[in-house]
Short mmCIF file of all heavy atoms in Angstrom, two decimals:
data_model
loop_
_atom_site.label_atom_id
_atom_site.label_comp_id
_atom_site.label_asym_id
_atom_site.label_seq_id
_atom_site.Cartn_x
_atom_site.Cartn_y
_atom_site.Cartn_z
N LEU A 315 5.79 43.10 -28.32
CA LEU A 315 6.30 44.42 -28.13
C LEU A 315 5.08 45.46 -27.84
O LEU A 315 4.08 45.09 -28.31
CB LEU A 315 6.98 44.86 -29.39
CG LEU A 315 8.21 44.44 -29.88
CD1 LEU A 315 8.48 44.69 -31.31
CD2 LEU A 315 9.36 45.11 -29.00
N VAL A 317 4.09 49.18 -28.90
CA VAL A 317 4.60 50.13 -29.89
C VAL A 317 3.57 51.33 -29.98
O VAL A 317 2.44 51.17 -29.89
CB VAL A 317 4.70 49.39 -31.21
CG1 VAL A 317 3.46 48.77 -31.66
CG2 VAL A 317 5.16 50.31 -32.22
N MET A 322 4.60 52.36 -35.38
CA MET A 322 4.43 50.96 -35.89
C MET A 322 4.82 50.69 -37.34
O MET A 322 5.47 49.78 -37.67
CB MET A 322 2.97 50.54 -35.55
CG MET A 322 2.66 49.03 -36.01
SD MET A 322 2.40 48.93 -37.76
CE MET A 322 0.90 49.70 -37.96
N PRO A 323 4.40 51.58 -38.26
CA PRO A 323 4.76 51.35 -39.64
C PRO A 323 6.24 51.27 -39.88
O PRO A 323 6.73 50.42 -40.72
CB PRO A 323 4.12 52.52 -40.46
CG PRO A 323 3.10 52.97 -39.66
CD PRO A 323 3.47 52.77 -38.17
N TRP A 325 8.58 50.14 -37.65
CA TRP A 325 9.01 48.92 -37.12
C TRP A 325 8.59 47.78 -38.03
O TRP A 325 9.33 46.80 -38.11
CB TRP A 325 8.51 48.69 -35.72
CG TRP A 325 9.09 49.56 -34.80
CD1 TRP A 325 9.95 50.63 -34.97
CD2 TRP A 325 9.04 49.69 -33.39
NE1 TRP A 325 10.41 51.32 -33.84
CE2 TRP A 325 9.83 50.63 -32.81
CE3 TRP A 325 8.30 48.85 -32.31
CZ2 TRP A 325 9.90 50.99 -31.41
CZ3 TRP A 325 8.39 49.10 -31.04
CH2 TRP A 325 9.22 50.16 -30.59
N ALA A 326 7.38 47.87 -38.61
CA ALA A 326 7.01 46.79 -39.46
C ALA A 326 7.87 46.78 -40.76
O ALA A 326 8.33 45.73 -41.29
CB ALA A 326 5.47 46.93 -39.83
N TRP A 327 8.07 48.04 -41.32
CA TRP A 327 8.93 48.20 -42.53
C TRP A 327 10.36 47.72 -42.24
O TRP A 327 11.03 47.16 -43.04
CB TRP A 327 8.89 49.67 -42.90
CG TRP A 327 9.82 50.05 -43.95
CD1 TRP A 327 9.81 49.72 -45.21
CD2 TRP A 327 11.10 50.79 -43.78
NE1 TRP A 327 10.91 50.34 -45.92
CE2 TRP A 327 11.67 50.97 -44.94
CE3 TRP A 327 11.66 51.37 -42.64
CZ2 TRP A 327 12.83 51.64 -45.13
CZ3 TRP A 327 12.77 52.00 -42.77
CH2 TRP A 327 13.37 52.17 -44.09
N ALA A 328 10.91 47.96 -41.05
CA ALA A 328 12.23 47.59 -40.72
C ALA A 328 12.30 46.11 -40.21
O ALA A 328 13.42 45.66 -39.83
CB ALA A 328 12.70 48.51 -39.57
N ASN A 329 11.22 45.51 -40.32
CA ASN A 329 11.13 44.10 -40.01
C ASN A 329 11.41 43.81 -38.60
O ASN A 329 12.01 42.76 -38.25
CB ASN A 329 12.11 43.30 -40.88
CG ASN A 329 11.82 41.74 -41.09
OD1 ASN A 329 10.60 41.55 -40.96
ND2 ASN A 329 12.75 40.94 -41.28
N TYR A 330 10.98 44.66 -37.75
CA TYR A 330 11.08 44.37 -36.25
C TYR A 330 9.73 43.68 -35.94
O TYR A 330 9.72 43.03 -34.83
CB TYR A 330 10.97 45.61 -35.40
CG TYR A 330 12.18 46.63 -35.56
CD1 TYR A 330 13.23 46.39 -36.47
CD2 TYR A 330 12.22 47.82 -34.77
CE1 TYR A 330 14.26 47.24 -36.47
CE2 TYR A 330 13.25 48.59 -34.77
CZ TYR A 330 14.35 48.41 -35.79
OH TYR A 330 15.30 49.32 -35.78
N MET A 331 8.71 43.81 -36.70
CA MET A 331 7.38 43.17 -36.26
C MET A 331 6.79 42.33 -37.39
O MET A 331 7.17 42.40 -38.56
CB MET A 331 6.36 44.25 -36.02
CG MET A 331 6.80 45.19 -34.85
SD MET A 331 5.59 46.59 -34.55
CE MET A 331 4.22 45.76 -33.87
N GLN A 332 5.86 41.42 -37.04
CA GLN A 332 5.24 40.61 -38.06
C GLN A 332 3.67 40.93 -37.91
O GLN A 332 3.28 41.39 -36.74
CB GLN A 332 5.52 39.16 -37.80
CG GLN A 332 5.17 38.60 -36.49
CD GLN A 332 5.42 37.14 -36.34
OE1 GLN A 332 4.76 36.39 -37.04
NE2 GLN A 332 6.44 36.75 -35.54
N PRO A 333 2.91 40.61 -38.91
CA PRO A 333 1.54 40.78 -38.83
C PRO A 333 0.97 40.03 -37.57
O PRO A 333 1.38 38.94 -37.41
CB PRO A 333 0.95 40.29 -40.09
CG PRO A 333 2.07 40.35 -41.13
CD PRO A 333 3.30 40.12 -40.27
N LEU A 334 -0.14 40.63 -37.00
CA LEU A 334 -0.75 39.89 -35.83
C LEU A 334 -1.36 38.57 -36.21
O LEU A 334 -1.19 37.70 -35.35
CB LEU A 334 -1.86 40.81 -35.32
CG LEU A 334 -1.47 41.92 -34.30
CD1 LEU A 334 -2.74 42.55 -33.84
CD2 LEU A 334 -0.59 41.37 -33.19
N GLY A 335 -1.92 38.50 -37.32
CA GLY A 335 -2.63 37.19 -37.74
C GLY A 335 -3.86 36.91 -37.00
O GLY A 335 -4.21 35.73 -36.85
N ILE A 336 -4.48 37.95 -36.47
CA ILE A 336 -5.76 37.60 -35.71
C ILE A 336 -6.86 37.84 -36.63
O ILE A 336 -6.73 38.65 -37.59
CB ILE A 336 -5.87 38.38 -34.38
CG1 ILE A 336 -5.88 39.91 -34.65
CG2 ILE A 336 -4.80 38.07 -33.41
CD1 ILE A 336 -6.21 40.79 -33.40
N GLU A 338 -9.68 39.57 -38.31
CA GLU A 338 -9.95 40.99 -38.25
C GLU A 338 -11.48 41.23 -37.85
O GLU A 338 -11.73 42.40 -37.40
CB GLU A 338 -9.73 41.70 -39.67
CG GLU A 338 -8.23 41.73 -39.88
CD GLU A 338 -7.89 42.79 -40.82
OE1 GLU A 338 -8.73 43.86 -41.01
OE2 GLU A 338 -6.92 42.62 -41.63
N LEU A 341 -11.95 42.82 -34.57
CA LEU A 341 -11.59 44.17 -34.37
C LEU A 341 -12.70 45.11 -34.86
O LEU A 341 -12.63 46.35 -34.93
CB LEU A 341 -10.21 44.63 -35.07
CG LEU A 341 -9.09 43.75 -34.69
CD1 LEU A 341 -7.86 44.09 -35.41
CD2 LEU A 341 -8.86 43.89 -33.03
N THR A 348 -7.07 52.71 -32.73
CA THR A 348 -6.54 51.58 -31.87
C THR A 348 -6.05 50.35 -32.83
O THR A 348 -5.63 49.48 -32.18
CB THR A 348 -7.66 51.06 -30.97
OG1 THR A 348 -8.77 50.77 -31.70
CG2 THR A 348 -8.06 52.18 -29.96
N ILE A 349 -6.13 50.53 -34.04
CA ILE A 349 -5.84 49.48 -34.95
C ILE A 349 -4.61 49.94 -35.82
O ILE A 349 -4.72 50.91 -36.45
CB ILE A 349 -6.93 48.94 -35.91
CG1 ILE A 349 -8.07 48.49 -35.03
CG2 ILE A 349 -6.43 47.84 -36.69
CD1 ILE A 349 -9.35 48.26 -35.78
N GLY A 350 -3.51 49.23 -35.66
CA GLY A 350 -2.38 49.57 -36.46
C GLY A 350 -2.17 48.75 -37.74
O GLY A 350 -1.97 47.55 -37.63
N ARG A 351 -2.37 49.37 -38.79
CA ARG A 351 -2.39 48.63 -40.14
C ARG A 351 -1.12 49.21 -40.87
O ARG A 351 -0.71 50.33 -40.94
CB ARG A 351 -3.60 48.98 -41.02
CG ARG A 351 -4.75 48.25 -40.57
CD ARG A 351 -5.97 48.66 -41.45
NE ARG A 351 -7.21 48.47 -40.79
CZ ARG A 351 -7.83 47.33 -40.64
NH1 ARG A 351 -7.31 46.26 -41.17
NH2 ARG A 351 -9.01 47.24 -40.05
N TRP A 352 -0.52 48.27 -41.60
CA TRP A 352 0.73 48.65 -42.44
C TRP A 352 0.68 47.53 -43.63
O TRP A 352 0.43 46.32 -43.40
CB TRP A 352 1.98 48.56 -41.76
CG TRP A 352 3.17 48.49 -42.65
CD1 TRP A 352 4.01 47.53 -42.85
CD2 TRP A 352 3.64 49.55 -43.53
NE1 TRP A 352 5.05 47.88 -43.75
CE2 TRP A 352 4.70 49.10 -44.20
CE3 TRP A 352 3.12 50.77 -43.83
CZ2 TRP A 352 5.38 49.84 -45.15
CZ3 TRP A 352 3.85 51.61 -44.90
CH2 TRP A 352 5.03 51.03 -45.45
N ASP A 353 0.66 48.14 -44.78
CA ASP A 353 0.75 47.20 -45.99
C ASP A 353 -0.42 46.27 -46.04
O ASP A 353 -0.21 45.06 -46.40
CB ASP A 353 2.10 46.54 -45.95
CG ASP A 353 2.55 46.22 -47.43
OD1 ASP A 353 2.05 46.82 -48.37
OD2 ASP A 353 3.38 45.46 -47.71
N GLY A 354 -1.50 46.77 -45.79
CA GLY A 354 -2.79 45.84 -45.87
C GLY A 354 -2.91 44.92 -44.78
O GLY A 354 -3.93 44.10 -44.76
N GLU A 355 -2.03 44.99 -43.77
CA GLU A 355 -2.28 43.90 -42.61
C GLU A 355 -2.19 44.65 -41.34
O GLU A 355 -1.65 45.68 -41.13
CB GLU A 355 -1.11 42.99 -42.74
CG GLU A 355 -1.05 42.25 -44.05
CD GLU A 355 -0.49 40.81 -43.99
OE1 GLU A 355 -0.99 39.99 -43.19
OE2 GLU A 355 0.56 40.67 -44.43
N VAL A 356 -2.94 43.99 -40.40
CA VAL A 356 -2.94 44.53 -39.01
C VAL A 356 -1.66 44.06 -38.23
O VAL A 356 -1.38 42.88 -38.13
CB VAL A 356 -4.22 44.10 -38.24
CG1 VAL A 356 -4.20 44.47 -36.86
CG2 VAL A 356 -5.46 44.58 -38.85
N TYR A 357 -0.94 44.96 -37.71
CA TYR A 357 0.35 44.71 -37.01
C TYR A 357 0.23 44.90 -35.55
O TYR A 357 1.00 44.36 -34.77
CB TYR A 357 1.49 45.49 -37.53
CG TYR A 357 2.13 44.94 -38.80
CD1 TYR A 357 1.58 45.09 -40.07
CD2 TYR A 357 3.38 44.27 -38.67
CE1 TYR A 357 2.22 44.54 -41.15
CE2 TYR A 357 3.98 43.74 -39.73
CZ TYR A 357 3.47 43.97 -41.00
OH TYR A 357 4.06 43.36 -42.18
N SER A 358 -0.67 45.73 -35.14
CA SER A 358 -0.82 46.10 -33.72
C SER A 358 -2.13 46.53 -33.29
O SER A 358 -2.95 46.97 -34.15
CB SER A 358 0.21 47.18 -33.41
OG SER A 358 -0.07 48.32 -34.17
N VAL A 359 -2.49 46.39 -32.13
CA VAL A 359 -3.78 46.73 -31.60
C VAL A 359 -3.69 47.32 -30.31
O VAL A 359 -2.87 46.88 -29.33
CB VAL A 359 -4.93 45.54 -31.74
CG1 VAL A 359 -4.41 44.46 -30.87
CG2 VAL A 359 -6.26 45.96 -31.43
N GLY A 360 -4.45 48.36 -30.07
CA GLY A 360 -4.33 49.10 -28.70
C GLY A 360 -5.50 48.82 -27.77
O GLY A 360 -6.64 48.54 -28.31
N GLN A 531 0.15 50.39 -28.51
CA GLN A 531 -0.47 49.19 -28.97
C GLN A 531 0.42 47.91 -28.76
O GLN A 531 1.61 48.03 -28.66
CB GLN A 531 -0.90 49.30 -30.40
CG GLN A 531 -1.77 50.46 -30.62
CD GLN A 531 -1.94 50.88 -32.14
OE1 GLN A 531 -1.32 50.26 -33.02
NE2 GLN A 531 -2.75 51.80 -32.37
N PHE A 532 -0.21 46.76 -28.76
CA PHE A 532 0.62 45.51 -28.64
C PHE A 532 0.81 44.87 -30.05
O PHE A 532 -0.09 44.89 -30.84
CB PHE A 532 -0.13 44.50 -27.71
CG PHE A 532 0.09 44.82 -26.29
CD1 PHE A 532 -1.10 45.07 -25.45
CD2 PHE A 532 1.34 44.91 -25.63
CE1 PHE A 532 -0.98 45.37 -24.13
CE2 PHE A 532 1.33 45.19 -24.29
CZ PHE A 532 0.35 45.35 -23.65
N GLY A 533 2.00 44.32 -30.35
CA GLY A 533 2.33 43.70 -31.57
C GLY A 533 3.29 42.46 -31.32
O GLY A 533 3.66 42.32 -30.17
N ILE A 534 3.47 41.74 -32.35
CA ILE A 534 4.40 40.58 -32.22
C ILE A 534 5.71 40.86 -32.96
O ILE A 534 5.72 41.35 -34.13
CB ILE A 534 3.66 39.36 -32.83
CG1 ILE A 534 2.31 39.04 -32.19
CG2 ILE A 534 4.51 38.12 -32.66
CD1 ILE A 534 1.45 38.05 -32.78
N SER A 535 6.78 40.66 -32.36
CA SER A 535 8.07 40.87 -32.97
C SER A 535 8.29 39.91 -34.13
O SER A 535 7.83 38.84 -34.26
CB SER A 535 9.23 40.72 -32.01
OG SER A 535 9.60 39.34 -31.87
N ALA A 536 9.07 40.41 -35.10
CA ALA A 536 9.34 39.51 -36.35
C ALA A 536 10.10 38.25 -35.99
O ALA A 536 10.01 37.28 -36.69
CB ALA A 536 10.05 40.38 -37.27
N ILE A 548 -2.26 38.52 -26.82
CA ILE A 548 -2.97 39.73 -27.32
C ILE A 548 -4.49 39.55 -27.46
O ILE A 548 -5.24 40.36 -27.01
CB ILE A 548 -2.41 40.25 -28.63
CG1 ILE A 548 -0.99 40.61 -28.42
CG2 ILE A 548 -3.17 41.26 -29.33
CD1 ILE A 548 -0.13 40.85 -29.65
#
Side-chain angles (χ1 to χ4, degrees):
Chain A
L315 283 164
V317 54
M322 182 279 295
W325 288 7
W327 169 75
N329 206 25
Y330 296 1
M331 296 177 73
Q332 59 177 292
L334 274 187
I336 62 173
E338 288 205 30
L341 306 176
T348 57
I349 303 171
R351 287 181 203 277
W352 165 247
D353 209 15
E355 301 208 63
V356 176
Y357 274 78
S358 57
V359 61
Q531 304 168 353
F532 285 118
I534 305 173
S535 82
I548 293 170

